Amino acid sequence: QVQLVESGGGLVQAGGSLRLACKASGSVFRLGYMRWFRQTPGKQRELVAAAYSHTNTDYADSVKGRFTISRDNVKNTVYLQMSSLKPEDTAVYYCNAHIATAEYTSADYWGQGTQVTVSS
């Protein structure tokens, strides 16, 4: 079994910073992409940032220049460094990763989500 364990969410004032972490544990044979999504009630879950193979990364236009995604393949962990936070960044943030548990067996996994609240 594979689990994604998230940490780092909380309450912060506008303009502040937070660092989210998501660690994959269990029967991890090989890591694929690792991504962060966010969702608020009544809105579609949106992709915030992604770290693909060969260190390629991508960001939503709304967070470019403010958020940075990084990954540590030794620790099986992906991070999201968030700076210059705005009230509209308030959401539940979800970690998502594609993980192989055997040489020819892989699947998509999700974390439980962590609340980020930015006050004005």
Side-chain angles (χ1 to χ4, degrees), residues 19-21 36 68-72 75 77-81:
R19 185 186 186 225
L20 306 182
W36 288 96
T68 301
I69 189 171
S70 61
R71 58 190 291 169
D72 186 331
K75 297 181 178 180
T77 301
V78 62
Y79 304 92
L80 186 67
Q81 178 66 49

Side-chain angles (χ1 to χ4, degrees), residues 27-78:
S27 302
V28 179
F29 177 78
R30 184 178 66 252
L31 293 174
Y33 60 71
M34 303 189 78
R35 308 186 293 187
W36 288 96
F37 289 77
R38 67 186 181 187
Q39 187 171 27
T40 57
K43 300 182 69 175
Q44 294 287 102
R45 185 173 296 185
E46 65 171 341
L47 176 66
V48 177
Y52 299 102
S53 60
H54 306 103
T55 70
N56 293 327
T57 60
D58 196 15
Y59 299 91
D61 288 341
S62 60
V63 307
K64 286 182 178 177
R66 300 189 298 118
F67 291 11
T68 301
I69 189 171
S70 61
R71 58 190 291 169
D72 186 331
N73 290 329
V74 175
K75 297 181 178 180
N76 292 334
T77 301
V78 62

